[in-house]
Amino acid sequence: LTGIVIGSYLQSVTPRFALGFEGVWQRAALGSRPETAMSYCARYRGTDWIASAQYLAAGSLGASYWRRLTDKVEAGVDCQLQFAPGVGGGMFGPPRREGTTTAGVKYNFQTSVYRAQIDSAGKIGVVLERRVAPPVTLTFAAEIDQMK
């Protein structure tokens, strides 16, 4: 059997707090061993904000925060941390830590939406979506990655 199978479950513990998990099983070819991964998550909802966290057993941690500032403006922050065994030190080398934080904002005009984001690596992205007619949307997008 080859392919990928993903199962997710999110359960509200209280009206504002939810816990969940996700399991992944995949096998690329019949001669290869299957790979599995588990992740665990939590979400808390306020009246105009949402905070969430996710832990992957392979060594990754993520946290997000989103807030509606006004009827037209939304903002959010996402932080991803990855922990991996050290390079060159073998299995017992010091752990290597990498992380990225992204902050973004969204503004809703009457017939268009503007989104912008910047991350800790210096990458900047912007998107402008304009609804020309009900089935037609015109999108302009740009991304600058000058830090590398």
Side-chain angles (χ1 to χ4, degrees), residues 1-2 8 34 38 64 69 74 101 110 120 122 147:
L1 179 66
T2 62
S8 302
M38 285 293 294
S64 299
L69 301 174
E74 301 172 16
T101 300
Q110 188 171 358
S120 58
M147 299 300 278

Side-chain angles (χ1 to χ4, degrees), residues 12 22 26 52 61 64 72 81 97 112 120:
S12 291
E22 180 175 74
Q26 74 174 17
S52 64
L61 180 66
S64 299
K72 295 186 177 205
L81 301 173
R97 293 177 214 114
S112 60
S120 58

